[in-house]
Amino acid sequence: MKESSAKARYNSVPDKVFDITNIVFMLCIVTVTLYPFINMFALSFNDANDSIRGGLYFWPRVWTWDNYNYIFNEASIYHATLISALRTILGTVISVFCTAMLAYTVSRQEFVLRKFVTIVAIFTMYFSGGLIPGYLLIKELHMINSFWVYIIPGIISVFNLIVIRSFIEGLPDGIMESAKIDGAGDFITFMRIVLPLTVPALATVSLFVAVSQWNSWFDVFLYNSSHINLSTLQYELMKILQTSNTAASSTNVGDQFAAGQSGVTAVTPTSIRATMTIIASLPIIMVYPFLQKYFVKGMTVGGVKG
């Protein structure tokens, strides 16, 4: 009787209305979220001259590889991609490891300066020296035209520090005490106990750091713009976009369309921008599914103590 009454209540009209409304709302959210990327995909694979006509939404009207050929014909793209991948991998591993060590330190009650270090770290989230003092500091550290300028200045993120520290504080204290009774020091406890137990938080933070490292280009512009061997993919794509904008400003839409009618390959800033979006987003999209199962758990447990 109780089961049948429960099913009757679940199948009631208000419940069905709620379910339908919820499904429609979520479908709207998914559509709004995916449409910009789908539109960029359509523009990137559509003929640039045809895209000038407009009316392109979900699917390419005139398929072409010209937009991608235009970008990948740049010889510097391949080396820049290698530098971007290298800075993303090294930057993520080093940053997450160092942030986790500091988070473990400030999470220990026996650390006398834990409150002071936390306050100083949070202070830097709201106030900074500015662009010019930061540049002068990098120059004094002799990291101009150096690969390590991508890694060392941002090695600790305060937001990531708070996430990992909150996760560690939620771990049972008995595990730490048992390790100390067995004679393990802080470093052994951190490496063999804390790190394996904080994999969800570390995976979440790794995704944040990897996306930031992969998408970064302004530090290349500031510190390594004169060193072509240290240029990154994002910076090279930015230069290609600037070149296409300059070329587009020297001609009009009619000339571009006429060039397309005469069989001459042409690109537009819009098509290049869409192609850049696909190229830059694809690696992160491929990595995200492997970290998704840790992402929700890491943010939930790391954001709420206990």
Side-chain angles (χ1 to χ4, degrees), residues 239-302:
K239 291 196 298 184
I240 293 175
L241 180 60
Q242 286 185 339
T243 302
S244 65
N245 286 331
T246 302
S249 63
S250 62
T251 185
N252 55 43
V253 173
D255 293 337
Q256 292 179 0
F257 187 76
Q261 293 294 325
S262 62
V264 179
T265 300
V267 294
T268 62
T270 301
S271 63
I272 291 300
R273 191 180 302 112
T275 308
M276 288 169 49
T277 302
I278 299 299
I279 294 175
S281 303
L282 190 59
I284 299 300
I285 294 175
M286 294 175 62
V287 171
Y288 181 77
F290 297 98
L291 301 178
Q292 184 180 12
K293 63 180 180 179
Y294 300 109
F295 187 80
V296 175
K297 183 179 179 181
M299 288 302 296
T300 303
V301 181

Side-chain angles (χ1 to χ4, degrees), residues 63-117:
W63 280 85
T64 182
W65 289 94
D66 290 343
N67 299 320
Y68 289 89
N69 290 334
Y70 179 82
I71 291 180
F72 288 112
N73 280 337
E74 294 288 334
S76 58
I77 284 293
Y78 301 97
H79 183 76
T81 303
L82 178 63
I83 296 297
S84 290
L86 186 62
R87 72 170 289 182
T88 299
I89 295 173
L90 287 179
T92 301
V93 172
I94 295 175
S95 177
V96 171
F97 183 77
C98 293
T99 303
M101 283 199 300
L102 181 58
Y104 172 74
T105 302
V106 297
S107 68
R108 297 298 86 202
Q109 296 289 340
E110 58 270 22
F111 180 50
V112 180
L113 299 177
R114 63 190 301 266
K115 290 185 177 180
F116 174 76
V117 172

Side-chain angles (χ1 to χ4, degrees), residues 6 10 13 21-22 52 86 94 100 105 127 138 140 181 194 206 214 220 233 244 273 294 305:
Y10 178 77
V13 175
T21 304
N22 193 29
I52 299 175
L86 186 62
I94 295 175
T105 302
F127 303 97
I138 296 299
E140 290 297 323
I181 292 174
V194 174
S206 297
W214 179 259
V220 186
L233 175 62
S244 65
R273 191 180 302 112
Y294 300 109
K305 182 178 178 181

Side-chain angles (χ1 to χ4, degrees), residues 172-187:
D173 294 332
I175 300 178
M176 312 292 183
E177 295 175 359
S178 299
K180 290 184 178 180
I181 292 174
D182 292 337
D186 286 325
F187 187 74

Side-chain angles (χ1 to χ4, degrees), residues 158-213:
V158 180
F159 175 80
N160 297 337
L161 172 67
I162 295 174
V163 171
I164 300 177
R165 187 200 66 177
S166 300
F167 196 100
I168 295 175
E169 289 177 345
L171 299 177
D173 294 332
I175 300 178
M176 312 292 183
E177 295 175 359
S178 299
K180 290 184 178 180
I181 292 174
D182 292 337
D186 286 325
F187 187 74
I188 298 299
T189 302
F190 170 74
M191 292 295 297
R192 296 187 178 181
I193 296 178
V194 174
L195 280 185
L197 292 176
T198 56
V199 169
L202 297 181
T204 302
V205 169
S206 297
L207 183 62
F208 293 158
V209 178
V211 171
S212 177
Q213 287 282 6

